[in-house]
Amino acid sequence: MTTIDAKHFRRVLGHFPTGVAVISGLDPDGQPAGMAIGSFTSVSLDPPLVAFLPDKSSTSWPKIAPSGKFCVNILASEQESICRAFAVKGGDKFAQFDWNPSPITGSPRLDDVVAWIDCEVDQVVDAGDHYIVIGKVLELDVLNPTLPLLFFQGGYGRFTALSLAAWEGDLQLQLASADAARPEMEALAEEMDVECVASAVVNDEMVLIANAGTPGSQQLPTRVGQRIPFLPPLGTAFVAWATDPAKEAWLAKAKPQEREALEATLIEVRKAGYSVGRGASWHREVGSVLARSKGALTPETTEEITRLISSLPADYESPAAPAEPGEVRSVSVPVTAPDGTSVLVLTLMVMSKRALAAAVEDHAARLTRAATAVANAISE
């Protein structure tokens, strides 16, 4: 057989990212034991089977194996410290982390993990310097629907969604624009008793990169870093000033029967110079979804928010569409770059009673003055 150098083998396989999990169980004395692994995988749907591959030199697996039971704890992207603690041999790995017994096997279930899977050992297969442990799934659930921790080329991180070429960017210009906008945003927030936020489009997401004033919703401690899919009918304050390829990329994601109405909305937004957002209940529902995932845009969160966005009418952000008193929840104005495209969008989140008393046109006029000042600052 051809001899494969172990370091080369590890380097090549390191180009394949893996999820990170903690396998936990109880030793013969009933004490918790656990180990970090990057080899967890699903095996079968019927019957439900999963597997992981402990090293034969592991000191933790021999403690868990006699019980014939274990729990898989899928770590979240912010739980690297847990991974590192459980990757070390010896010591009380559970002393510094909160956990509760899993419902079926009683194996330790770590708090705030993405998901947990309670199992009994189905079979153990000898495989070189590792074992393949196949577990029969007894119970499982999602505990914290946020982004998982990944291991890739010797380091830890999280994944990012695929890009939409027409809107690719690295946020450098947007962040510089947000810095220039901050004095204007703070003045608006104080003057009008509103929250003012700045957002940018990067790839296929709208990203909130700065805010001023107190958030009207207490579901999330801050909106900064919040992302939602860049899908019709949202984002018209970006698209109405976009290049034709970028505009077409946005329209292509709409339902065919809504395209004509969306194009009319873009014309109305461009003519008025601003867009609006309506519906308190819709905003609360989106906020609730983001709060459950702590603001992270996971595949599950993306699916929920995409469904909510698709429920909106094509003229949702049209300034020409009629609105009931108190129905308007946001007013957005673009900050344009020297080439005329929208590099940033400033939005007033209209939540307070004082702010609701003002007309949409008043909000838009004040916001437009601020956006113009920012555009002049970044063009100098």
Side-chain angles (χ1 to χ4, degrees):
M1 293 180 62
T2 302
T3 301
I4 301 295
D5 178 74
K7 290 184 178 179
H8 182 60
F9 180 89
R10 182 175 296 176
R11 184 181 67 82
V12 173
L13 270 295
H15 284 72
F16 179 72
T18 61
V20 184
V22 166
I23 303 298
S24 61
L26 299 175
D27 68 14
D29 296 326
Q31 296 302 307
M35 56 189 295
I37 55 100
S39 57
F40 173 70
T41 183
S42 61
V43 175
S44 168
L45 287 175
D46 186 16
L49 301 174
V50 296
F52 69 96
L53 284 68
D55 194 304
K56 286 184 177 179
S57 66
S58 168
T59 58
S60 297
W61 172 238
K63 297 177 182 179
I64 300 172
S67 71
K69 303 169 184 177
F70 64 90
C71 182
V72 181
N73 297 268
I74 299 175
L75 299 184
S77 59
E78 68 272 14
Q79 292 180 314
E80 182 181 338
S81 60
I82 295 179
C83 173
R84 293 190 180 278
F86 279 86
V88 176
K89 294 185 178 182
D92 185 356
K93 301 175 181 178
F94 288 87
Q96 56 183 311
F97 304 111
D98 295 327
W99 61 276
N100 291 285
S102 60
I104 305 298
T105 70
S107 301
R109 184 180 63 185
L110 293 165
D111 287 0
D112 296 324
V113 293
V114 174
W116 56 270
I117 306 166
D118 214 5
C119 306
E120 64 180 13
V121 176
D122 184 74
Q123 58 179 301
V124 179
V125 180
D126 191 297
D129 56 9
H130 283 67
Y131 295 111
I132 302 175
V133 179
I134 300 177
K136 180 180 179 182
V137 177
L138 305 177
E139 186 63 88
L140 74 168
D141 204 356
V142 175
L143 189 62
N144 178 19
T146 189
L147 294 175
L149 182 66
L150 297 183
F151 185 75
F152 179 65
Q153 294 185 359
Y156 297 96
R158 54 187 276 180
F159 73 88
T160 301
L162 292 176
S163 300
L164 176 64
W167 290 93
E168 286 180 350
D170 61 7
L171 275 182
Q172 182 175 354
L173 176 59
Q174 291 92 332
L175 289 172
S177 302
D179 283 342
R182 190 168 297 280
E184 295 288 342
M185 293 170 61
E186 291 174 348
L188 278 170
E190 182 176 358
E191 173 190 335
M192 304 187 73
D193 189 26
V194 294
E195 181 189 12
C196 185
V197 302
S199 55
V201 171
V202 179
N203 304 324
D204 54 358
E205 297 170 351
M206 287 188 288
V207 186
L208 197 151
I209 58 178
N211 79 318
T214 303
S217 169
Q218 300 304 313
Q219 292 174 307
L220 287 169
T222 178
R223 297 184 196 269
V224 175
Q226 177 179 305
R227 300 177 293 153
I228 64 171
F230 183 45
L231 298 171
L234 299 186
T236 56
F238 289 105
V239 184
W241 283 265
T243 62
D244 288 340
K247 186 181 300 182
E248 182 57 38
W250 181 82
L251 287 167
K253 293 184 285 186
K255 300 172 184 176
Q257 63 270 27
E258 294 182 344
R259 184 181 177 104
E260 184 176 346
L262 285 168
E263 290 176 335
T265 295
L266 291 176
I267 293 172
E268 291 161 355
V269 169
R270 181 72 181 247
K271 180 179 179 181
Y274 65 89
S275 66
V276 299
R278 301 174 174 82
S281 61
W282 187 88
H283 281 263
R284 282 196 299 269
E285 194 166 357
V286 171
S288 177
V289 173
L290 290 171
R292 289 201 307 272
S293 63
K294 300 180 180 179
L297 198 58
T298 65
E300 182 177 333
T301 304
T302 300
E303 183 178 353
E304 289 189 73
I305 295 182
T306 297
R307 175 183 57 79
L308 289 170
I309 294 174
S310 66
S311 70
L312 296 171
D315 64 349
Y316 172 73
E317 292 189 339
S318 170
E324 297 296 327
E327 184 184 6
V328 173
R329 282 297 179 269
S330 66
V331 180
S332 299
V333 170
V335 174
T336 54
D339 65 358
T341 60
S342 176
V343 66
L344 200 71
V345 164
L346 299 184
T347 300
L348 294 180
M349 306 302 294
V350 186
M351 298 295 181
S352 71
K353 290 182 179 179
R354 174 184 166 190
L356 286 170
V360 171
E361 292 80 3
D362 294 338
H363 286 302
R366 182 65 184 85
L367 195 57
T368 298
R369 290 196 294 274
T372 300
V374 177
N376 291 336
I378 64 176
S379 64
E380 293 177 353

